[in-house]
Amino acid sequence: MGEQNEYKPYQKTTSLHRWLLGFEFVDTLIVLKKEKVYFVTSQKKAKLLGSLGNYSDKAAEIEIIERGKEEGANKTAFEKLEPILKGEETPRIGIIKKDEYDGKFIQEWKAFYGPFSIGKIEVDVTVGIALSWSVKDKDEQHMKKNLKTASTISSKLMNQFNDSIMKIIDKYDDDSDSKVTHEQLAMKTEDYLNEEWLKKLQLLTVDKYPIDSLEWCYTPIVQSGGNYNLKPSAESDNNPLDPGTIICSVGVRYKSFCSNVSRTYMIDPTKEQERNYGILVEIQEKLLTSVIKDGVTCSEVYNKAKQLLESKDPSLKDKFLKDCGFGLIFFAKIGIEFRESTFLLSPNCTRELKAGMVLNLVLGLQNLENPKATDQRRKKYALLVGDTIIVQKSGSGPGGILLTDVKKSQQEVCFELDIKPKAEEKKQPSKPVQKKTAVLTSKLRGEENNEMSAEQKRKLHQRELLAQKNREGLARFENGNDKGQAKVAASFKRFESYRKESELPPTVRDLKIHIDKRSESVILPIFGQAVPFHISTIKNVVKSDDQDHMDLRFNFVTPGQIGKKESGMVFENPNSKFIKMLMFRSVDKETYTHLHDEIKQLQTMIKKRENERQELADIVEQARLIESRKPVVLPYVMARPQDSKKGTGELEIHQNGLRYHPNGRKVIDVLFTNIQHLIFQPCDQEMIVLIHLHLRNPIMISNKKIRDLQFYREVGDVSDETGNRKRRFYGDEDELAAEEEERKRKIALNHEFKNFAKKIELESRGVVSLDEPIPDLGFDGVPFKTQVFLQPTRRDCLVHLSEPPFLCIPMSDVELVHLERVQFGLKNFDMVLIFKDFKKTPAHINIIPTEKLEIVKDWLDQIDIAVTEGPHSLVWNSIMKTINDDPLGFFQTDAWNFLMLESDVDDEMESSASEYQDSDDGGSYGSDDSDSDVGSNDSAFSGSSGSSDGSDDGDDASGSSGSGSDDDSNNKRKIEAPSNGMKKKQKK
């Protein structure tokens, strides 16, 4: 690759650099062999590429050849590749023929490579590379999210584009000299892609992504007035915008992933124009629902589209886009490249579409005539409809799913221009008249809008997400594919007290009970022999005090015991003979009491040690921190959690991680690879500004396992905010000055910490991405014991960082969210987050205000999290136990649909209510009658509904913490999982 060519940004070599390395390495040569990859590049780029050799799981060896800046340095570097290119083992060389680059580096390489190409077979690998990119592999799952972001922003820009056109048409005047041209409108639209415009949208899907990751695929295209070019390479001309047929195209690239959307807007259209446009929309819908699918060839889709068009109107056959190279439908892979010619929908393309391909579907007709037009510019027109889609698996609903969401019904794209003749305007009285718009949204003022409401769209989307979760669950657990969820078989553990008899303590000869703490054993006399028992084999010891003696009973762990199963105790042969109990009697009560206490202490010590071992099982030892000579430093920061010695320190950025230097205490090192989420929280609404690290693997700090680490600085004296000022009276000027000083101090702190966080992101070279909470989407809740303010972040986390205990839940780890106690009359509801790892206990967030319900549901729907709701509180420990016992059977029997049944029951109750009920009544679920007839409410799980058993409360304590203070707690209902199946129970 030579110098960048801004006129050809989508060359295959450029895309290959982005796909392999994430960046475009200009003036760089890459030679790919099966066992080794060679890079010829500058010293600075070589330093960046050097980190590729540090990965232990790399598929091929890496060799970097540095080239200097002196004359002839390129040729010297090329000569090191001479044995590789000249050897007999490389008779065939793959090249990308169509790519063209300029620059000194390319010219010298061509001069060097020329003699070696003689006798070699050159193969164009363009098609092979395109095929490898057509379906995304498992390492590119983030692709869908990035494409959805690009598609969402393209859709919003198209809507903005539409508004701009309508405002111009609204003020249109044939006699005006100051008309807006196509190029001016395109440039104005191009300026919309800035941070200010994104913030004005106030949408989660837009506002949470950085502006520096967004760019245009091409300058927006505007065409009208009879001159139409429907090729992707078309440009806006300098002709004025004409209020006839207007074609607009917008394409946005987010993190190198592209999207495209095209629409046609018609002013005062004729019936024929409306009919032709309706044909295009209808064909697109039929292609998406019944034609496009996994395994269909491009030519089959083209022929079917042509057949549909001819069946509607044979006269339109000659209006296809024959000279564009892709016929009626332009079908290209969207993603790393904007247009991939390998997958054109044309009669000659026989390549098959695969599930996971992301495509741009564009239907167009050109050179159409409108004989009824009085203006010469409107006698010819064209129609174009385009969207970004993704190909689905066969049997999973529609074969193609739209990623762009811009309305295209006739009611939304057809307008009437209400312009009165100037003669009539002069006759009108000069009294002030209310201003009316010239653009009408429909041809009939009272016409009903047939578009789905936002609530209907959300419900439809949620049903699709739930069906997708069920399909993914089946694929995950069938044939035992899910390794992370597989049950870990308990292994037999052999306890050894002594290897030989001589190791027994000499005191055992008195044939008394002895406790050997060193070997963690109890030695009991049995038939004149000292028999040792490891403390782990003893279930418990019970002492019984009588008048003249004391009994000491030893109960041992045996197979088939009734009661709590001892975890980790596996028997080598359960069919062997076991000692279940031994009893000893003595008149020496004091000695037996002492023995009983010592055994209890030894058991407690062993249990504590085992718990500590399990607690530290997920601790992963970090690699060594590579220090920088001059690290970037953030001074005067405090860390949380911290030991008893409170003080400040310095946070430093090194080559592969962070180091915190507390004054007089042990340093804390965190590597970039161990940071899962880097979150910056400003001090706009708080008295501290902080940088929070949510780690992939916990680390040890002061003998405590830490998963969330925070570095912060206080804004100032908190007491000043409560009114405890030094002076008793303040004038208005003093108060304003103090507020202004505090505001400036907060701005300076936010700027300092955010810049430092950005430097962490930069130095990590893509390993860590900066995140930030969105206060506008925040809500109050009780995740632990007290009510706190929870905030979603821009990169899909739910956090509370202001004070410990911290909460940071990556929503990518969440399988489903269920909202409990959602019913009319309640002031609060609860949220349960079920993780993809079903072994983890679901997270509960209680007492969320009901007025935040729509905000929470909208946020979860925006980030593609399946959401269900119901009027009851479920016993999730029982539910998760049922799922973990047979996960495949769970997904084969309706899976998460039982939660949708709860939602449907709640909806039916609300819709059937004939009159308003006061919240004091607690709704129909708060009465005693409803408690005695739980089964009639169609609960998702049968069992001990409304049970007051204390064991149930204890099992679900984590989910009901803090809810005791809620005035709606009387309406809570617990529903347990059945022993088999997910069926409803009708209680008599």
Side-chain angles (χ1 to χ4, degrees):
M1 180 178 176
E3 297 177 352
Q4 284 184 332
N5 189 342
E6 61 181 8
Y7 298 103
K8 296 181 179 180
Y10 300 110
Q11 295 192 84
K12 193 69 65 180
T13 303
T14 303
S15 301
L16 183 62
H17 276 242
R18 293 175 182 165
W19 185 65
L20 284 174
L21 307 172
F23 301 95
E24 300 173 24
F25 283 74
V26 297
D27 294 340
T28 298
L29 173 67
I30 304 177
V31 179
L32 300 170
K33 296 195 71 176
K34 187 175 182 180
E35 68 283 351
K36 203 167 188 178
V37 180
Y38 300 86
F39 292 90
V40 179
T41 186
S42 63
Q43 296 178 356
K44 187 174 181 180
K45 297 186 185 72
K47 186 177 180 181
L48 295 174
L49 293 172
S51 59
L52 296 176
N54 299 331
Y55 293 95
S56 58
D57 58 344
K58 54 182 179 291
E61 295 296 325
I62 305 294
E63 182 175 337
I64 301 174
I65 302 173
E66 297 184 11
R67 58 181 181 85
K69 297 181 180 180
E70 63 275 7
E71 190 69 27
N74 291 339
K75 184 177 181 182
T76 304
F78 295 152
E79 289 174 350
K80 296 181 181 180
L81 297 174
E82 186 173 347
I84 303 169
L85 300 174
K86 217 172 184 180
E88 297 180 358
E89 67 276 6
T90 55
R92 297 160 64 89
I93 299 177
I95 61 172
I96 302 175
K97 284 188 175 181
K98 292 185 178 180
D99 284 4
E100 296 179 0
Y101 291 96
D102 296 325
K104 179 182 177 182
F105 180 80
I106 286 294
Q107 298 302 326
E108 293 186 10
W109 165 248
K110 289 180 178 179
F112 177 83
Y113 172 72
F116 295 109
S117 62
I118 301 175
K120 301 288 184 180
I121 302 175
E122 293 185 345
V123 180
D124 190 0
V125 296
T126 303
V127 176
I129 293 174
L131 289 173
S132 67
W133 289 344
S134 61
V135 180
K136 304 300 179 181
D137 54 35
K138 293 181 180 179
D139 294 333
E140 295 183 57
Q141 291 300 321
H142 67 286
M143 171 273 302
K144 187 176 180 180
K145 182 177 179 180
N146 292 340
L147 278 169
K148 186 174 181 180
T149 301
S151 302
T152 301
I153 297 176
S154 293
S155 302
K156 299 303 176 184
L157 284 167
M158 176 58 76
N159 292 332
Q160 183 70 38
F161 205 0
N162 179 21
D163 293 342
S164 300
I165 292 175
M166 292 304 104
K167 288 179 181 178
I168 295 172
I169 298 300
D170 194 21
K171 301 176 182 179
Y172 182 80
D173 187 354
D174 278 326
D175 298 332
S176 176
D177 295 331
S178 57
K179 296 179 180 179
V180 179
T181 66
H182 299 146
E183 186 177 9
Q184 290 173 344
L185 181 58
M187 297 301 294
K188 180 181 178 180
T189 305
E190 193 172 24
D191 294 337
Y192 281 130
L193 197 59
N194 55 50
E195 190 169 0
E196 182 180 358
W197 178 78
L198 293 175
K199 288 182 178 179
K200 285 182 179 179
L201 286 182
Q202 295 181 351
L203 288 174
L204 177 68
T205 49
V206 177
D207 188 49
K208 67 177 181 177
Y209 296 106
I211 186 64
D212 53 4
S213 299
L214 291 167
E215 56 182 323
W216 290 99
C217 295
Y218 54 86
T219 302
I221 303 173
V222 190
Q223 301 177 79
S224 67
N227 297 322
Y228 301 99
N229 180 3
L230 303 187
K231 294 182 179 180
S233 58
E235 295 181 356
S236 303
D237 55 29
N238 284 320
N239 295 326
L241 184 68
D242 178 68
T245 301
I246 305 171
I247 294 179
C248 312
S249 297
V250 172
V252 171
R253 180 164 64 177
Y254 173 71
K255 290 187 176 180
S256 299
F257 289 87
C258 303
S259 67
N260 184 67
V261 59
S262 300
R263 289 291 181 267
T264 302
Y265 297 99
M266 293 176 285
I267 314 298
D268 293 330
T270 63
K271 292 292 184 181
E272 183 181 0
Q273 286 178 313
E274 292 181 357
R275 183 182 64 86
N276 293 340
Y277 178 81
I279 291 174
L280 285 185
V281 175
E282 184 179 351
I283 292 176
Q284 187 193 52
E285 292 177 353
K286 289 186 177 181
L287 290 177
L288 291 172
T289 55
S290 59
V291 180
I292 296 174
K293 57 185 176 180
D294 186 13
V296 175
T297 63
C298 296
S299 58
E300 289 175 351
V301 179
Y302 175 84
N303 293 331
K304 182 62 177 177
K306 184 176 180 180
Q307 179 183 350
L308 290 171
L309 186 66
E310 290 182 355
S311 65
K312 297 291 183 180
D313 190 346
S315 63
L316 296 177
K317 179 180 177 180
D318 297 333
K319 308 303 179 182
F320 292 173
L321 306 177
K322 296 179 181 180
D323 57 346
C324 296
F326 44 79
L328 170 66
I329 304 175
F330 155 53
F331 217 106
K333 183 177 75 69
I334 299 292
I336 297 175
E337 290 188 342
F338 175 68
R339 182 178 186 270
E340 177 52 71
S341 58
T342 309
F343 290 94
L344 293 179
L345 273 187
S346 65
N348 300 324
C349 184
T350 59
R351 294 189 175 87
E352 292 185 354
L353 303 179
K354 299 295 181 183
M357 286 186 178
V358 181
L359 309 158
N360 184 28
L361 176 60
V362 177
L363 294 85
L365 300 172
Q366 65 176 3
N367 296 328
L368 298 169
E369 295 184 357
N370 180 18
K372 297 182 179 180
T374 57
D375 194 321
Q376 188 66 27
R377 295 171 296 177
R378 301 167 195 168
K379 288 188 177 292
K380 284 189 177 182
Y381 69 97
L383 300 173
L384 193 69
V385 178
D387 288 285
T388 304
I389 69 167
I390 183 169
V391 181
Q392 299 290 95
K393 292 182 179 179
S394 299
S396 60
I401 301 296
L402 287 172
L403 295 178
T404 47
D405 183 18
V406 180
K407 295 178 181 179
K408 53 179 175 284
S409 63
Q410 292 187 13
Q411 292 88 349
E412 300 296 335
V413 301
C414 296
F415 306 92
E416 285 189 348
L417 189 62
D418 187 14
I419 300 180
K420 295 183 179 180
K422 291 190 175 181
E424 294 184 13
E425 292 181 0
K426 292 180 180 179
K427 295 178 182 178
Q428 292 180 353
S430 58
K431 63 179 181 180
V433 180
Q434 185 179 1
K435 184 178 180 181
K436 295 184 178 180
T437 177
V439 179
L440 306 179
T441 57
S442 63
K443 306 196 81 173
L444 298 176
R445 295 182 184 272
E447 190 173 40
E448 294 291 334
N449 189 359
N450 294 325
E451 295 290 337
M452 288 192 299
S453 65
E455 177 67 19
Q456 291 174 326
K457 286 184 178 180
R458 186 174 65 195
K459 286 186 176 181
L460 180 62
H461 184 221
Q462 283 301 315
R463 292 189 180 276
E464 293 174 355
L465 287 175
L466 206 61
Q468 179 183 350
K469 290 294 180 184
N470 295 342
R471 292 194 300 268
E472 291 175 354
L474 282 174
R476 174 180 171 187
F477 292 104
E478 63 183 358
N479 302 324
N481 293 334
D482 190 69
K483 297 180 180 179
Q485 196 66 26
K487 293 184 178 180
V488 180
S491 59
F492 171 71
K493 185 176 181 181
R494 186 181 299 276
F495 300 104
E496 187 177 58
S497 299
Y498 306 98
R499 294 185 178 181
K500 50 188 177 179
E501 188 176 356
S502 60
E503 294 182 355
L504 287 169
T507 56
V508 300
R509 296 172 185 173
D510 58 4
L511 296 179
K512 293 182 180 180
I513 300 175
H514 291 276
I515 300 173
D516 189 356
K517 293 184 178 181
R518 182 178 59 84
S519 60
E520 300 173 356
S521 301
V522 178
I523 305 170
L524 303 177
I526 303 177
F527 299 116
Q529 297 291 330
V531 182
F533 293 87
H534 195 274
I535 193 67
S536 300
T537 63
I538 299 175
K539 182 179 180 182
N540 56 40
V541 180
V542 181
K543 65 177 180 177
S544 301
D545 192 2
D546 208 341
Q547 293 181 357
D548 56 349
H549 64 271
M550 178 177 285
D551 294 334
L552 203 60
R553 187 174 75 247
F554 292 84
N555 296 318
F556 295 92
V557 180
T558 57
Q561 286 182 334
I562 300 175
K564 187 176 179 181
K565 185 178 178 182
E566 294 293 333
S567 59
M569 180 59 69
V570 179
F571 301 93
E572 186 175 16
N573 184 9
N575 297 322
S576 301
K577 303 297 183 182
F578 291 86
I579 298 175
K580 185 175 183 181
M581 183 265 291
L582 289 174
M583 181 180 290
F584 297 87
R585 178 173 294 177
S586 173
V587 296
D588 189 356
K589 296 184 179 181
E590 183 178 352
T591 301
Y592 267 30
T593 302
H594 180 69
L595 289 172
H596 177 270
D597 294 341
E598 282 194 339
I599 293 172
K600 288 290 186 181
Q601 291 176 5
L602 184 58
Q603 284 183 322
T604 303
M605 182 185 70
I606 297 300
K607 187 176 181 180
K608 181 179 179 181
R609 186 181 65 190
E610 183 65 20
N611 291 338
E612 290 177 353
R613 185 188 65 81
Q614 294 179 1
E615 183 74 14
L616 302 179
D618 55 349
I619 297 291
V620 179
E621 185 177 355
Q622 296 188 110
R624 187 177 64 88
L625 183 75
I626 303 176
E627 300 183 34
S628 302
R629 292 183 179 180
K630 294 182 179 180
V632 181
V633 179
L634 181 65
Y636 308 115
V637 295
M638 291 178 281
R640 293 193 300 193
Q642 59 186 357
D643 53 24
S644 57
K645 298 180 180 179
K646 185 178 180 181
T648 61
E650 294 182 344
L651 184 61
E652 300 174 347
I653 304 177
H654 292 273
Q655 294 185 25
N656 63 336
L658 305 175
R659 169 167 288 178
Y660 177 64
H661 278 282
N663 295 331
R665 286 170 288 165
K666 187 178 179 180
V667 299
I668 301 174
D669 292 341
V670 180
L671 300 187
F672 292 139
T673 53
N674 194 30
I675 300 176
Q676 184 177 3
H677 289 280
L678 170 67
I679 305 173
F680 160 72
Q681 179 172 295
C683 55
D684 297 336
Q685 307 296 330
E686 305 287 344
M687 292 306 296
I688 60 172
V689 58
L690 60 89
I691 294 175
H692 187 90
L693 307 180
H694 182 70
L695 307 181
R696 301 180 188 276
N697 301 303
I699 61 175
M700 294 298 295
I701 299 178
S702 300
N703 297 325
K704 294 181 181 179
K705 187 174 71 171
I706 301 301
R707 186 78 181 270
D708 289 276
L709 185 60
Q710 193 176 101
F711 303 98
Y712 69 100
R713 190 186 300 169
E714 296 178 350
V715 176
D717 188 4
V718 182
S719 63
D720 288 346
E721 295 296 319
T722 62
N724 297 327
R725 304 177 176 90
K726 295 180 180 179
R727 293 195 296 176
R728 185 174 181 182
F729 299 103
Y730 269 85
D732 292 340
E733 295 182 359
D734 294 336
E735 290 182 357
L736 291 174
E739 291 176 0
E740 181 66 17
E741 182 182 353
E742 181 180 329
R743 188 184 66 83
K744 290 181 179 179
R745 186 165 63 248
K746 285 186 174 183
I747 292 174
L749 282 175
N750 289 340
H751 181 74
E752 181 182 5
F753 270 67
K754 188 168 186 177
N755 283 346
F756 188 82
K758 287 182 177 180
K759 290 177 182 178
I760 296 176
E761 182 182 27
L762 181 63
E763 291 296 325
S764 69
R765 297 180 178 88
V767 176
V768 180
S769 298
L770 180 60
D771 201 357
E772 189 173 343
I774 308 175
D776 293 342
L777 298 176
F779 54 89
D780 293 320
V782 182
F784 303 110
K785 294 183 179 180
T786 58
Q787 190 175 47
V788 298
F789 186 65
L790 302 159
Q791 303 178 80
T793 68
R794 301 179 188 276
R795 297 187 181 275
D796 302 341
C797 286
L798 183 62
V799 300
H800 163 65
L801 310 176
S802 300
E803 57 185 14
F806 306 125
L807 178 73
C808 182
I809 301 178
M811 299 307 292
S812 58
D813 298 340
V814 174
E815 172 83 0
L816 178 138
V817 173
H818 182 65
L819 306 179
E820 298 180 332
R821 300 192 303 118
V822 179
Q823 56 177 298
F824 179 78
L826 296 187
K827 298 179 182 178
N828 304 295
F829 67 95
D830 303 331
M831 178 192 296
V832 182
L833 297 96
I834 300 97
F835 296 101
K836 293 179 180 178
D837 181 4
F838 295 151
K839 297 295 182 182
K840 293 182 64 175
T841 304
H844 293 252
I845 300 174
N846 300 322
I847 319 181
I848 304 173
T850 303
E851 56 265 22
K852 296 291 185 179
L853 178 62
E854 293 302 317
I855 294 178
V856 171
K857 288 163 66 174
D858 284 340
W859 165 60
L860 293 171
D861 186 70
Q862 292 269 2
I863 61 177
D864 291 339
I865 296 293
V867 186
T868 58
E869 61 183 71
H872 310 306
S873 292
L874 307 180
V875 182
W876 285 99
N877 283 354
S878 301
I879 295 174
M880 300 312 297
K881 183 179 183 301
T882 303
I883 296 174
N884 286 316
D885 288 344
D886 184 14
L888 181 59
F890 170 75
F891 282 101
Q892 287 176 341
T893 55
D894 289 339
W896 300 113
N897 291 335
F898 76 92
L899 296 174
M900 292 296 292
L901 294 175
E902 284 287 298
S903 302
D904 295 340
V905 169
D906 193 29
D907 292 341
E908 291 175 6
M909 285 176 47
E910 292 186 0
S911 62
S912 62
S914 59
E915 59 179 325
Y916 176 83
Q917 291 185 350
D918 193 275
S919 60
D920 294 337
D921 296 335
S924 61
Y925 286 93
S927 63
D928 296 335
D929 293 339
S930 63
D931 287 342
S932 64
D933 193 17
V934 175
S936 64
N937 293 329
D938 291 341
S939 60
F941 281 103
S942 62
S944 57
S945 305
S947 173
S948 59
D949 188 2
S951 60
D952 291 345
D953 295 338
D955 291 341
D956 198 40
S958 62
S960 60
S961 62
S963 61
S965 61
D966 184 13
D967 57 354
D968 303 320
S969 60
N970 294 330
N971 296 299
K972 298 189 71 173
R973 168 117 8 99
K974 295 187 179 296
I975 302 176
E976 294 184 350
S979 57
N980 52 359
M982 302 292 173
K983 300 180 181 178
K984 302 178 185 177
K985 177 181 178 182
Q986 296 296 332
K987 188 172 181 180
K988 296 183 180 180

